[in-house]
């Protein structure tokens, strides 16, 4: 698989990455086998967070991928702290918290550095300058190589794009949810990459029963599903292949992070990982035609 430079960083990533949140229950044989097989297929971007399973997901990724550390780009997230009773978590946006939290993530991930450390959320009321200072300090210390955001809030994304050295923004982006395109011009101008999540639209445009999705009615989703089925058949590719090709056809999107739970699901990506279909502009336009473009109603 051809690797692509992630934004203005020196990280080179395969266009299809693995979001590990779906791999629950710790370092089971099945989870470890999935991670090892992903590396064999050519996937090198792995995304986790200290929030997932109260750190157990990071621990699982660290155990499984430590022997392959030099072959992967390891990304995790920070900003949420579990309460002591485990009932929920609180937003902890501060320089001091980020600097403290990274050491726990490094230990769980069984590594001396994190390739991409992402702020897991963010609001416009956060001490943004202070948070940026925290990330920059970690870069200088060598604990992280680069930092980014995991956010869908345009007002937050604009502030970090203007003030910081973020190399990427992870956000939901797919055929049904094109809301992020409002910030794409800003990110393209700064050479900040988009890491897409949710490209497969929760299966609604593949084999799951049609249902409402965000502001779209089930009827609108059904019409979009028929368009996907028709175009995929005419191009001779699978529906998930088409949906991933659609997301990655936008030049600002460098990675589509996909969640899988089993080897069977992972192996379904094999063809796409080995040779991703290149979607033409005409095909992209045809897919989008007639699908109502949503807009963010908050945090503009």
């Amino acid at each position: 698989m051809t690797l692509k430079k992630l934004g203005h960083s020196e990280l080179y990533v395969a266009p299809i990455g693995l979001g590990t949140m779906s791999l629950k229950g710790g370092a089971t044989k099945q989870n470890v086998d999935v991670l090892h097989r992903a590396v064999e297929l050519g996937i090198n971007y792995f995304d986790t967070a200290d929030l997932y399973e109260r750190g157990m997901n990071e621990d699982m990724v660290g155990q499984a991928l430590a022997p392959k550390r030099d072959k992967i780009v390891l990304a995790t997230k920070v900003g949420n702290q579990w309460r002591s009773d485990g009932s929920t978590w609180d937003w902890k946006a501060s320089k001091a918290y980020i600097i403290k939290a990274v050491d726990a993530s490094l230990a769980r991930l069984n590594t001396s550095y994190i390739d991409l450390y992402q702020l897991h959320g963010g609001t416009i009321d956060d001490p943004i300058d202070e948070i940026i200072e925290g990330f920059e300090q970690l870069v200088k210390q060598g604990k992280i190589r680069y930092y980014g955001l995991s956010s869908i809030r345009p007002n937050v994304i604009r502030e970090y794009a203007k003030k910081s050295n973020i190399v990427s923004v992870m956000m939901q982006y797919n055929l049904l949810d094109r809301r992020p395109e409002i910030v794409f011009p800003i990110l393209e101008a700064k050479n900040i990459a988009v890491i897409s999540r949710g490209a497969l639209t929760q299966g609604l445009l593949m084999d799951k029963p049609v249902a409402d999705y965000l502001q779209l009615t089930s009827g609108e989703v059904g019409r979009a599903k028929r368009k996907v089925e028709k175009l995929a058949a005419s191009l001779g590719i699978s529906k998930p292949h088409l949906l991933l090709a659609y997301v990655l056809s936008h030049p600002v999107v460098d990675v589509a992070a996909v969640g899988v739970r089993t080897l069977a699901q992972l192996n379904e990506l094999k063809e796409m990982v080995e040779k991703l279909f290149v979607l033409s502009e005409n095909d992209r336009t045809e897919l989008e035609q007639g699908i109502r473009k949503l807009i963010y109603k908050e945090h503009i």
Side-chain angles (χ1 to χ4, degrees):
M1 172 179 284
T2 302
L3 301 183
K4 187 174 185 180
K5 198 173 181 181
L6 184 71
H8 57 82
S9 77
E10 292 299 321
L11 301 173
Y12 285 83
V13 292
I16 296 176
L18 202 68
T20 66
M21 185 174 68
S22 299
L23 300 175
K24 300 184 184 298
T28 63
K29 183 180 185 303
Q30 176 172 291
N31 287 346
V32 172
D33 286 349
V34 166
L35 292 171
H36 287 180
R37 177 61 173 157
V39 177
E40 290 173 3
L41 289 177
I43 292 171
N44 75 335
Y45 176 86
F46 294 86
D47 188 277
T48 181
D50 61 3
L51 182 67
Y52 302 160
E53 294 190 280
R54 301 189 66 173
M56 188 163 63
N57 195 267
E58 281 187 329
D59 188 64
M60 177 266 296
V61 170
Q63 287 186 55
L65 294 179
K68 305 176 186 295
R69 183 66 183 92
D70 61 336
K71 298 179 180 179
I72 66 170
V73 172
L74 192 54
T76 191
K77 310 182 195 76
V78 64
N80 298 284
Q81 183 179 44
W82 280 98
R83 294 181 182 174
S84 58
D85 63 4
S87 61
T88 187
W89 59 85
D90 298 306
W91 179 236
K92 300 286 286 187
S94 72
K95 175 181 178 180
Y97 180 73
I98 290 168
I99 290 172
K100 178 183 177 182
V102 74
D103 289 327
S105 284
L106 287 167
R108 287 189 292 264
L109 290 166
N110 196 18
T111 185
S112 61
Y113 67 95
I114 294 165
D115 294 298
L116 179 63
Y117 204 35
Q118 301 159 101
L119 187 66
H120 201 177
T123 76
I124 201 66
D125 297 320
D126 292 339
I128 292 175
D129 292 337
E130 175 191 317
I131 289 170
I132 293 169
E133 287 176 8
F135 281 115
E136 290 289 346
Q137 180 175 320
L138 294 179
V139 172
K140 289 177 182 176
Q141 291 174 343
K143 293 183 177 181
I144 67 173
R145 294 182 66 190
Y146 300 96
Y147 62 99
L149 286 180
S150 177
S151 176
I152 60 169
R153 296 182 173 186
N155 57 0
V156 172
I157 293 168
R158 290 189 190 98
E159 283 298 295
Y160 280 92
K162 179 172 65 176
K163 293 183 173 182
S164 78
N165 291 313
I166 59 169
V167 300
S168 62
V169 179
M170 173 176 264
M171 60 181 77
Q172 176 166 285
Y173 178 60
N174 57 51
L175 179 60
L176 297 180
D177 187 4
R178 295 171 54 205
R179 295 175 300 173
E181 290 178 358
I182 191 174
V183 295
F184 281 8
I186 297 167
L187 300 181
E188 284 188 277
K190 296 277 189 175
N191 196 13
I192 297 168
V194 168
I195 300 170
S196 162
R197 58 176 177 81
L200 300 181
T201 62
Q202 302 173 6
L204 292 176
L205 297 184
M206 298 188 299
D207 301 319
K208 284 189 177 180
V210 168
D212 294 347
Y213 184 85
L214 299 174
Q215 304 157 30
L216 297 174
T217 66
S218 60
E220 290 174 302
V221 172
R223 288 191 291 275
K225 185 174 184 176
R226 289 190 289 274
K227 290 173 70 71
V228 169
E229 290 171 343
K230 181 180 178 181
L231 185 57
S234 69
L235 295 174
I237 60 176
S238 67
K239 288 175 282 188
H241 199 158
L242 177 59
L243 293 172
L244 286 168
Y246 170 79
V247 165
L248 289 162
S249 68
H250 198 293
V252 77
V253 180
D254 285 350
V255 182
V258 180
V260 301
R261 293 184 300 278
T262 66
L263 280 172
Q265 290 175 335
L266 178 63
N267 285 327
E268 288 176 2
L269 298 175
K270 183 175 185 293
E271 177 189 350
M272 293 163 254
V273 174
E274 290 177 346
K275 188 175 181 181
L276 187 71
F277 183 83
V278 179
L279 196 68
S280 71
E281 188 62 36
N282 285 341
D283 289 337
R284 183 182 175 90
T285 301
E286 181 180 336
L287 268 181
E288 292 174 346
Q289 190 173 8
I291 300 177
R292 180 161 55 95
K293 186 173 180 180
L294 307 182
I295 60 172
Y296 289 117
K297 295 183 176 181
E298 298 177 321
H299 315 297
I300 297 300

